[in-house]
Amino acid sequence: MSLLDRVQKGQGPDPLAPPEGAYVPQAGGTPGTRQSSASTRVRTSFEVQAERIKNRLQARLIENIDEGEDEDREQRAARITDALNAVLAEMGLSLTKPEKQRLLDSVLNDFLGLGPIEALISDPTITEIMVNGPDQIFVEHKGKLTLSTTQFESEEQLRRVIDRIVSTIGRRIDESSPMVDARLKDGSRVNVIIPPLSLNGPILTIRKFSKDPYKISDLIKFGSLTDPMAQFVRACVRSRLNMLVSGGTGSGKTTTLNVLSSFIPEEERVVTVEDAAELQLNQEHVVTLESRPATVEGRGRIAIRDLVVNALRMRPDRIVVGECRGGEALDMLQAMNTGHDGSLTTIHANSPRDSLNRLETLVLMAGAELPSRAIREQISSAINVIVQQSRLRDGSRKIIAVSEVLGLHGDQVKVQDIFVFKQTGVSEDGKVQGWFTATGIIPKYFDHLQSSGEGVPKDLFTPVPDPAGQGGK
């Protein structure tokens, strides 16, 4: 009979009980901390003692840190297992085989992986993981948010996972630097914010990306666009039109940018500029640049704008900026206007028209004292095509418009839609109903596509009637 069994039968002291005087979170949480019903559970004896074991194990491993410098994952796992056995012996704990395996799995996930969220990371059907403190984890599954049964054993365990994520890319997080953007090895985007800025404990948000980059055929299968739309945007990329992918948060802009980038010919030199490198280009000649935050002393910050300026000196055929969110918009427009045709970027906006207005605002953030008309002239001559992405109420992500920029008419940049998604309603089960169609307008760039060898048939732009026969009403 294990020590745990004897405790449950009242035959001895609980070896998994917290030490005398230790704080154990109770229902209601700590004063000044907002709690939800999902974060009021009392930790089990196993979780409390597992944390004690891990703390002692961590101290033992730190003492012998030099031993693991040249080890692969299997060797590290074996060394951690040996160290765990030694710690259990020191603490006088005797566990059954299932108890020990459970503890070992938790320890290996904690020290070599991402703790309890390792399984969520491995689940291909989960696209986003939102950790709101140790006791509450939400996941996005098929576009819908649900509360996961997975939880961290403690805030300390969550902090260890966070430290492991940010340290792998040379970043740090503490009270002096309580926010950080990072990424996982597979390119998944990570954002972390900790107390005192967060009142719920450490907050970890992971935007996952497919291990195998999506192709245009995948987006067609998902219902994000149609084959005629795919033919058109492919021709636009290959004929070196400058493209702007616009959309709200979580609408799928980065995925679409990645797919568009896949159409860039293999022989071209591509320079990508990102805050946290997440684009997955398969071309042979790709140079990836990543911004860098300031050090604790406030020095050494390398902004996106600095990288865009530097990219211009690297003889790029194309520049791909993960997202324009500041003064780098001006440098990007100038690059597009000075021979770097076929460049791509994304921007946060809810419509093609809004994306151009926001681009104008971002240019002003660069500190350039330019009149509005001069900025709009830059925009109208630099941006050729806008791909508008949206996350609809049922969680589906669609390209709701493919528009072209016609130029400056008066004081306004004129935009016209080439393809649109027309929503007709919502079904009883909450699914958005509608259809994709061309507007019937032959694009201004039709002749350019033909002359560049990327021509598309004119019937691509023939309007498609509502398949439900409702006429769009």
Side-chain angles (χ1 to χ4, degrees):
M1 181 184 296
S2 76
L3 208 53
L4 284 176
D5 293 329
R6 294 200 297 272
V7 169
Q8 292 169 356
K9 293 179 179 297
Q11 298 177 7
D14 187 352
L16 300 185
E20 185 176 354
Y23 170 72
V24 181
Q26 302 293 327
T30 57
T33 301
R34 193 178 71 185
Q35 298 287 332
S36 72
S37 59
S39 60
T40 57
R41 71 182 180 95
V42 178
R43 291 168 62 193
T44 65
S45 293
F46 183 91
E47 291 171 336
V48 173
Q49 183 64 2
E51 188 61 32
R52 290 179 62 197
I53 294 170
K54 288 177 184 178
N55 287 338
R56 186 174 293 194
L57 178 61
Q58 185 176 35
R60 173 181 286 269
L61 292 173
I62 289 175
E63 289 175 3
N64 303 295
I65 193 168
D66 293 338
E67 295 179 10
E69 286 186 348
D70 301 319
E71 294 175 339
D72 59 23
R73 184 182 175 89
E74 288 186 2
Q75 290 171 324
R76 286 198 300 271
R79 186 165 61 89
I80 290 172
T81 302
D82 292 341
L84 175 61
N85 291 331
V87 167
L88 291 176
E90 290 172 4
M91 299 178 72
L93 296 177
S94 174
L95 304 181
T96 65
K97 190 173 182 179
E99 291 166 351
K100 188 173 180 180
Q101 187 60 51
R102 177 186 171 192
L103 179 60
L104 179 60
D105 290 342
S106 177
V107 164
L108 292 179
N109 277 338
D110 205 10
F111 283 82
L112 298 181
L114 298 181
I117 63 171
E118 185 73 28
L120 302 180
I121 293 289
S122 303
D123 188 340
T125 65
I126 292 176
T127 53
E128 195 137 10
I129 301 168
M130 289 145 278
V131 180
N132 302 334
D135 299 332
Q136 189 184 67
I137 301 176
F138 281 88
V139 297
E140 183 184 69
H141 176 73
K142 296 182 178 179
K144 293 291 186 180
L145 290 183
T146 57
L147 180 63
S148 172
T149 56
T150 301
Q151 294 178 325
F152 283 86
E153 294 170 2
S154 66
E155 185 169 311
E156 289 74 20
Q157 184 190 31
L158 174 54
R159 286 297 298 267
R160 278 199 296 269
V161 169
I162 289 173
D163 288 340
R164 181 172 299 110
I165 291 173
V166 300
S167 64
T168 56
I169 60 168
R171 299 191 179 178
R172 54 188 292 278
I173 186 163
D174 51 35
E175 286 192 7
S176 64
S177 179
M179 295 186 298
V180 69
D181 287 316
R183 55 182 161 78
L184 302 181
K185 291 180 179 179
D186 64 359
S188 296
R189 183 189 307 166
V190 178
N191 176 266
V192 181
I193 184 167
I194 63 172
L197 301 186
S198 164
L199 301 184
N200 299 71
I203 307 298
L204 171 66
T205 308
I206 300 175
R207 175 81 54 80
K208 289 176 56 184
F209 292 96
S210 173
K211 292 182 179 179
D212 298 316
Y214 286 133
K215 299 177 182 177
I216 194 70
S217 57
D218 295 315
L219 299 192
I220 294 173
K221 182 176 67 177
F222 298 153
S224 296
L225 77 169
T226 60
D227 185 64
M229 295 167 69
Q231 290 184 52
F232 178 66
V233 295
R234 180 185 182 278
C236 289
V237 173
R238 293 190 63 84
S239 64
R240 302 184 66 84
L241 294 179
N242 293 322
M243 301 182 70
L244 180 65
V245 180
S246 167
T249 301
S251 60
K253 297 186 300 297
T254 302
T255 297
T256 298
L257 180 64
N258 212 62
V259 168
L260 294 178
S261 300
S262 70
F263 299 139
I264 297 175
E266 285 285 342
E267 64 271 14
E268 295 187 16
R269 175 176 169 88
V270 184
V271 178
T272 69
V273 179
E274 301 172 82
D275 257 337
E278 55 195 22
L279 291 174
Q280 300 169 291
L281 275 64
N282 288 324
Q283 286 88 342
E284 183 178 3
H285 200 166
V286 176
V287 178
T288 302
L289 305 181
E290 185 177 65
S291 65
R292 186 180 71 185
T295 63
V296 180
E297 296 79 18
R299 298 192 298 268
R301 178 175 182 263
I302 306 296
I304 289 285
R305 186 174 188 187
D306 301 319
L307 295 178
V308 172
V309 172
N310 191 79
L312 297 175
R313 302 167 183 154
M314 298 173 65
R315 198 248 173 240
D317 289 307
R318 312 248 189 167
I319 298 176
V320 180
V321 177
E323 181 180 346
C324 277
R325 61 178 69 171
E328 65 273 3
L330 175 59
D331 303 292
M332 188 70 185
L333 289 177
Q334 290 177 334
M336 289 175 169
N337 276 320
T338 55
H340 298 90
D341 298 333
S343 295
L344 303 103
T345 188
T346 73
I347 196 168
H348 272 85
N350 294 322
S351 71
R353 165 59 57 190
D354 287 347
S355 71
L356 298 182
N357 292 337
R358 176 155 172 74
L359 202 53
E360 183 177 342
T361 301
L362 295 181
V363 170
L364 292 172
M365 290 173 62
E369 297 182 1
L370 297 172
S372 292
R373 182 175 179 83
I375 296 174
R376 290 169 187 169
E377 285 176 347
Q378 283 267 328
I379 292 173
S380 64
S381 59
I383 305 298
N384 305 127
V385 176
I386 302 170
V387 176
Q388 183 66 41
Q389 188 90 24
S390 183
R391 183 176 183 271
L392 305 183
R393 61 180 294 178
D394 62 355
S396 62
R397 295 172 172 85
K398 296 185 185 297
I399 294 176
I400 60 170
V402 177
S403 310
E404 66 174 348
V405 178
L406 298 178
L408 197 63
H409 290 249
D411 287 333
Q412 298 296 321
V413 181
K414 189 174 181 181
V415 179
Q416 71 179 7
D417 295 334
I418 305 301
F419 294 94
V420 294
F421 175 75
K422 292 190 175 183
Q423 183 174 335
T424 57
V426 180
S427 66
E428 293 182 357
D429 60 356
K431 295 292 184 182
V432 170
Q433 297 177 316
W435 84 105
F436 293 99
T437 180
T439 59
I441 296 173
I442 302 300
K444 164 189 172 183
Y445 297 105
F446 182 79
D447 291 337
H448 169 78
L449 299 181
Q450 302 294 116
S451 62
S452 62
E454 299 297 334
V456 292
K458 277 192 176 181
D459 60 10
L460 211 65
F461 309 106
T462 303
V464 176
D466 179 6
Q470 299 177 27
K473 297 181 180 179

